[in-house]
Amino acid sequence: MKTTKSLRHALALSSALAIALTTGSLMAADTAKVAKTPKAEAAATDILTYKIALAEDGKTYQVMMKPSVTPKPDISLTGQVTIKAPHDSGFAVTGLTSAVEGANWVEASRVDAPKEDAKSDYISFSFVGLQGASARNYNWEAGKEQVVFSFQNADGCVDGVSLMAKDDAFNAAPNSANTNPGNQFTNLGWGSVSDNHYAGNEGEAISCKK
């Protein structure tokens, strides 16, 4: 089939444009690969720190969180907090209360004395129920710490209750209980739906008032 000179010219321009766009995309992708090293990617998502502390009443445990970046948009999706309690204390969560409207924190799972640390019980909390406008109710601000939820032990304060650390032996895949106890939080203003924006823990293990 014959083509006219103008049509051949148009086809040539289209081909050149396609090649240019493809080349540009490949170059951009290569640049992104160089710029986003694993270390840089981790730093970009390590935003929200956790802390556990004892309230003034000496019996209520408070879980606090603090972001290093104000999210835009501020849309919190999911979260998990795992604490460790001495196994011989028989720690039993009671009075679990959310400090954030619309966020219903629940005791989601528990593993007592796993082989990775037989002296500790691992208790995980997750929040559910944040939908629509309520997904913004945390009102995160860079550098501002806030209480997210609180709870008590049925038999009073127990020394040594702490947040599970990133490098905890039980925080592995798979672990001996085939669970996923990892601390986690996702906010769309800090990244994608698949990101974990939990950065690490602050503070020390609980020391009860004497």
Side-chain angles (χ1 to χ4, degrees):
M1 184 178 80
K2 293 183 179 180
T3 57
T4 63
K5 183 176 180 182
S6 59
L7 181 57
R8 288 198 302 272
H9 182 66
L11 290 172
L13 285 176
S14 297
S15 298
L17 180 59
I19 292 171
L21 289 172
T22 300
T23 303
S25 297
L26 291 173
M27 290 176 65
D30 288 340
T31 300
K33 287 178 182 178
V34 172
K36 290 188 177 181
T37 62
K39 186 174 182 179
E41 288 180 346
T45 57
D46 289 352
I47 292 172
L48 192 65
T49 56
Y50 291 4
K51 184 170 77 173
I52 189 168
L54 203 59
E56 288 298 318
D57 63 8
K59 61 182 180 181
T60 301
Y61 297 86
Q62 295 178 322
V63 173
M64 307 172 186
M65 298 183 184
K66 181 175 65 177
S68 59
V69 177
T70 300
K72 294 181 181 180
D74 185 0
I75 303 176
S76 296
L77 300 180
T78 59
Q80 179 166 285
V81 175
T82 296
I83 66 166
K84 295 177 67 173
H87 177 62
D88 60 7
S89 70
F91 198 95
V93 174
T94 186
L96 178 58
T97 305
S98 174
V100 179
E101 183 181 357
N104 180 28
W105 284 86
V106 298
E107 184 178 341
S109 65
R110 177 181 184 129
V111 178
D112 293 344
K115 70 178 185 180
E116 290 87 349
D117 184 355
K119 294 182 179 180
S120 299
D121 295 340
Y122 292 78
I123 305 170
S124 295
F125 304 89
S126 297
F127 83 80
V128 294
L130 281 178
Q131 299 177 0
S134 66
R136 302 175 183 271
N137 286 1
Y138 283 95
N139 293 315
W140 300 113
E141 293 181 24
K144 182 180 178 181
E145 183 179 78
Q146 64 173 307
V147 176
V148 174
F149 66 92
S150 61
F151 58 93
Q152 296 180 1
N153 173 45
D155 291 329
C157 186
V158 171
D159 282 322
V161 174
S162 65
L163 293 166
M164 185 186 71
K166 279 188 174 183
D167 61 356
D168 191 284
F170 188 61
N171 186 28
N175 58 29
S176 60
N178 291 316
T179 61
N180 179 18
N183 291 322
Q184 178 270 333
F185 204 98
T186 299
N187 184 297
L188 285 183
W190 293 324
S192 72
V193 68
S194 61
D195 286 342
N196 180 4
H197 300 117
Y198 161 72
N201 302 329
E202 294 184 337
E204 305 295 333
I206 293 297
S207 179
C208 298
K209 297 180 179 180
K210 306 302 182 185

